[in-house]
Amino acid sequence: HKGWLLSVMALLAACGTDQAPTAAPPEIAVVEVSVRDTPITQDFVGQTRGSTDIPIRARVEGFLESLNFQQGGAVKEGQLLYTIDARPFLAKVVEAEGRLAEARTMLAKSRADLARIKPLAEMKAVSQQELDATTAQRDAALGSLQAAEAQLELANIELGYTSLHSPINGHIGITLAQVGEFVGAPPNPVVLNYVSLTDPIRVRFSINERDYLRLSREVYKRRQQENQQTGEEEGYGSVELILADGSVFEHRGRVIAADAAMNPETGTFTLEADFPNPQGIVIAGQFARARIQIDMLRDALLVPQRAVAELQGNFRVFTVAADGTVALKSVELGPQVGQMVVVDSGLEAGERVALEGLLT
């Protein structure tokens, strides 16, 4: 046992003489606090619609005879879209033409009677009463002629409504009525389809009262600045469109319409923006986000979002001095801008902050 103990003690002594390898200090990735004027944007959920959306209505009742377009395809202004059975309306035209002919005949007779009676009345061969009656018959016949002409015009108008044409260039949707269906009177279809102009495409979105105030102040400042430079007024500015897959639409748009007042029921203010859409990538009825500038921060301090650590609602960053000294600082944060975040207080321009190396 004595020999075994001596062996163990000798082994421990030998181990005690070995020194553990010294670990190399970790490399710290740092970035300098940047300073720049930073536009603050916000996304608002909206829905696309045609810049012009026109319902195709059946303005007379009847059986649908034909569809003359490719559903979902492009249509030209004036292109025939639907026809409704015109026979009842042709009959009305013929009837109105007959009444007009009768009215013309009655007017011709009354004028002839008046031309015959008038000289006799001047000669006192007939009474003044008979002359007055003949004059009244002529005036009544003239009124009947005007009424008959109006009835014929109305009958021709209704006949024209049996052919439905596209009012604009655009795209037409899926028909809401089929050939043979009775249309033009509820509960049957009255609106048969929609034609939409999708270049430009329009996006309607709403902002809350707080964002509206921020946006209005920013617009006012831009107007003042640009009026001094160019003398021209600037509207709400350009808008980006964020599509459902998260991609940014390649064309920027502009706000072209706004509500006259805040909606008291929802507490929101509605805006509409138009975007060029020459390739027809965006169609009406899609949900999208409108990204609009609501503020401009002058000389804002920005650091990468990943350089900030949060602990119980408090935000901290590690600053790295020129000699490599590391210090922990508490900061107050502003809005996030992409992968960066605005620092309201706690840092100075030119300071360097550590990225995630010390924060993990």
Side-chain angles (χ1 to χ4, degrees):
H1 295 291
K2 183 176 180 181
W4 175 82
L5 181 59
L6 291 174
S7 299
V8 172
M9 291 176 63
L11 179 60
L12 291 174
C15 292
T17 60
D18 292 338
Q19 295 184 353
T22 304
E27 292 185 2
I28 302 174
V30 297
V31 64
E32 187 173 321
V33 177
S34 60
V35 182
R36 63 173 183 264
D37 291 346
T38 304
I40 302 302
T41 61
Q42 190 160 338
D43 292 356
F44 303 97
V45 176
Q47 190 170 18
T48 61
R49 54 198 298 144
S51 51
T52 303
D53 286 326
I54 299 181
I56 305 301
R57 298 178 182 273
R59 300 180 67 174
V60 292
E61 300 178 11
F63 289 95
L64 198 62
E65 278 196 331
S66 69
L67 276 65
N68 303 276
F69 59 91
Q70 179 65 42
Q71 299 184 60
V75 294
K76 297 292 185 180
E77 181 179 355
Q79 178 179 334
L80 180 64
L81 302 177
Y82 295 92
T83 59
I84 296 172
D85 183 11
R87 289 173 296 176
F89 304 96
L90 284 170
K92 288 183 179 180
V93 170
V94 173
E95 180 183 4
E97 289 174 341
R99 289 179 179 175
L100 178 60
E102 181 182 356
R104 285 173 176 165
T105 301
M106 295 302 296
L107 178 61
K109 179 180 182 303
S110 64
R111 281 174 173 170
D113 290 343
L114 182 60
R116 180 172 42 85
I117 294 294
K118 194 171 184 180
L120 296 176
E122 292 174 354
M123 298 168 58
K124 306 298 183 180
V126 296
S127 66
Q128 183 66 35
Q129 183 179 4
E130 189 173 352
L131 175 62
D132 292 341
T134 306
T135 303
Q137 289 175 357
R138 190 276 316 269
D139 293 342
L142 182 60
S144 297
L145 176 65
Q146 293 172 339
E149 290 174 339
Q151 288 295 324
L152 177 59
E153 182 179 2
L154 178 60
N156 279 310
I157 289 174
E158 290 183 340
L159 177 62
Y161 288 157
T162 61
S163 296
L164 285 68
H165 298 81
S166 176
I168 59 171
N169 296 329
H171 284 79
I172 192 166
I174 298 175
T175 184
L176 302 180
Q178 301 298 327
V179 172
E181 191 171 353
F182 191 84
V183 298
N188 299 308
V190 175
V191 175
L192 308 181
N193 215 319
Y194 288 87
V195 176
S196 296
L197 178 63
T198 57
D199 183 20
I201 192 74
R202 182 164 297 175
V203 178
R204 175 177 289 184
F205 59 97
S206 297
I207 63 177
N208 61 39
E209 188 171 352
R210 180 178 178 182
D211 290 331
Y212 167 76
L213 292 173
R214 294 178 65 186
L215 176 60
S216 295
R217 293 189 183 106
E218 178 61 24
V219 169
Y220 177 77
K221 287 191 295 183
R222 291 206 300 269
R223 281 178 177 171
Q224 295 298 103
Q225 294 169 357
E226 297 192 8
N227 286 348
Q228 294 173 0
Q229 297 172 2
T230 65
E232 298 179 356
E233 285 198 2
E234 176 69 19
Y236 285 98
S238 62
V239 185
E240 284 187 316
L241 184 62
I242 315 301
L243 302 178
D245 60 359
S247 63
V248 179
F249 190 48
E250 59 182 312
H251 299 287
R252 298 181 71 93
R254 296 191 66 80
V255 173
I256 53 90
D259 244 341
M262 190 75 63
N263 187 325
E265 297 180 359
T266 62
T268 58
F269 186 75
T270 301
L271 299 168
E272 290 184 344
D274 275 359
F275 297 80
N277 188 33
Q279 293 84 19
I281 294 174
V282 184
I283 62 175
Q286 291 180 279
F287 285 97
R289 288 177 290 137
R291 179 171 293 167
I292 190 169
Q293 179 180 323
I294 61 173
D295 201 357
M296 173 65 78
L297 300 181
R298 305 295 179 183
D299 298 325
L301 302 180
L302 295 108
V303 298
Q305 176 70 37
R306 60 196 181 107
V308 181
E310 180 184 3
L311 180 63
Q312 297 180 348
N314 298 314
F315 299 96
R316 305 174 301 167
V317 297
F318 285 95
T319 60
V320 181
D323 60 0
T325 305
V326 178
L328 181 64
K329 287 190 175 182
S330 295
V331 292
E332 297 289 336
L333 300 183
Q336 187 172 345
V337 182
Q339 301 298 318
M340 308 291 282
V341 63
V342 175
V343 178
D344 289 336
S345 63
L347 288 178
E348 299 292 337
E351 286 190 280
R352 299 187 302 162
V353 298
L355 295 178
E356 66 272 11
L358 294 175
L359 305 178
T360 55

